[in-house]
Amino acid sequence: MGAEFSKNTQTHMRMIDGFYFSTRYPGDDSIEIDGDDVETCNDAIEFCRKEVLELERKLKKGEV
């Protein structure tokens, strides 16, 4: 798609992916998360969502 995201958004995406993988698949690398972890992940999701919506807006206006 060629979309470019800020370094901050890329960092948040890796964090979200890490939470997903580490809690979804059982094994030596799996973890249990607490409420603070959920809050952190939710903040990261909201941050990424804002940037994706901004990209969508720019695509619709032909700015990208």
Side-chain angles (χ1 to χ4, degrees):
M1 185 171 155
E4 291 188 27
F5 295 99
S6 69
K7 292 287 184 186
N8 202 7
T9 298
Q10 291 176 31
T11 299
H12 282 86
M13 286 179 184
R14 282 190 297 275
M15 181 189 327
I16 295 164
D17 185 53
F19 274 117
Y20 172 76
F21 185 84
S22 297
T23 58
R24 171 70 173 91
Y25 297 102
D28 294 337
D29 294 329
S30 66
I31 61 169
E32 289 187 28
I33 60 173
D34 61 17
D36 290 337
D37 293 327
V38 171
E39 183 80 24
T40 299
C41 190
N42 187 59
D43 291 345
I45 290 167
E46 287 297 322
F47 186 90
C48 292
R49 181 179 182 274
K50 286 178 185 176
E51 190 156 335
V52 168
L53 291 174
E54 180 63 19
L55 174 62
E56 178 188 31
R57 184 191 67 74
K58 288 179 179 180
L59 285 169
K60 284 181 179 178
K61 286 187 166 188
E63 296 176 6
V64 177

